[in-house]
Amino acid sequence: SMKRISAVPILFVASLALSASFSTPVPTVHHSRAFQPLLRPRTCAILAMVGDSNEPKKEMNRPLGDNIVTQAIYSLEMMRVKSQSVTPSEENGNWDGEPKEWAEEDSLAQKVSRISQVGPFAAFKQWVADSIAGDYDVEKVTARVDDTIAGSPVVMFSFTTCPFCLKAKDLFANELGIKAENIMIVECDEDPEGNAIRAVLGKKTGRTS
């Protein structure tokens, strides 16, 4: 059975990793071979988990301390996201998410995101994702993710307030010319199983954002 890595949320680590984890979620995209030449491959970090991934636990019971800490951090981060979201206007295309500038290649958010994808930062982000997901049927959610990926040429797991996701959607539609019927977009922040999906994707790809 899978063993969970214990993590102590030190203030600095929490600020750095969670900033990338929740404020700069990079979309997780799965695509068929037909689209491989069009999409730049992204290096995935190796998730520091111990156990047999072929035997997932159906329930992920978390110690009370884990839940209190992660829920508190998550709530504070959501408050920060809300406070930093821009006001919709004609100029910004009625966008009400986090600043679009964060998705620029040389932005601070990009730099933090790169740092947070490796080593203990990545493991910490997975721990947070698992804790926020709480108890869920791992086999059921994993099967849903697999079925979703198999059911469309391009699948994107997105967040509605994420400027990175917005930029990826624009890339698909306007630069790569992928037709709407050929792409399935799952908005994790609007889906009842969104937190569980994110945790499963982290285990599959080594990235929770």
Side-chain angles (χ1 to χ4, degrees), residues 25-111:
V26 179
T28 301
V29 179
H30 293 267
H31 52 85
S32 66
R33 290 185 178 181
F35 291 100
Q36 286 180 356
L38 303 177
L39 304 177
R40 183 176 61 182
R42 185 181 296 276
T43 302
C44 294
I46 298 176
L47 182 62
M49 299 294 289
V50 179
D52 185 0
S53 60
N54 294 323
E55 298 180 2
K57 291 176 64 179
K58 287 190 175 182
E59 293 187 354
M60 300 168 60
N61 298 313
R62 297 295 171 189
L64 179 60
D66 280 7
N67 287 324
I68 291 175
V69 171
T70 53
Q71 289 295 343
I73 294 174
Y74 180 75
S75 297
L76 289 172
E77 183 63 16
M78 291 301 97
M79 291 174 60
R80 186 201 62 75
V81 170
K82 184 177 181 179
S83 68
Q84 293 186 335
S85 293
V86 300
T87 301
S89 66
E90 292 185 6
E91 185 178 352
N92 65 16
N94 292 317
W95 174 249
D96 61 354
E98 295 171 310
K100 293 181 179 180
E101 293 77 13
W102 289 5
E104 298 300 325
E105 188 67 26
D106 59 348
S107 70
L108 176 61
Q110 284 277 22
K111 295 176 182 177

Side-chain angles (χ1 to χ4, degrees), residues 127-199:
W127 171 75
V128 172
D130 287 341
S131 298
I132 291 172
D135 296 335
Y136 67 93
D137 190 323
V138 177
E139 291 182 357
K140 176 184 175 182
V141 176
T142 300
R144 179 188 170 188
V145 170
D146 291 339
D147 290 344
T148 301
I149 294 171
S152 181
V154 180
V155 175
M156 176 178 174
F157 296 93
S158 169
F159 292 82
T160 58
T161 59
C162 170
F164 296 91
C165 298
L166 179 68
K167 192 170 184 178
K169 293 170 186 173
D170 181 69
L171 173 71
F172 288 151
N174 300 320
E175 295 188 37
L176 300 181
I178 300 178
K179 297 180 180 180
E181 59 266 26
N182 289 329
I183 181 169
M184 168 66 71
I185 299 178
V186 179
E187 301 290 2
C188 292
D189 54 333
E190 294 183 343
D191 193 293
E193 294 182 316
N195 288 331
I197 289 173
R198 183 176 200 164

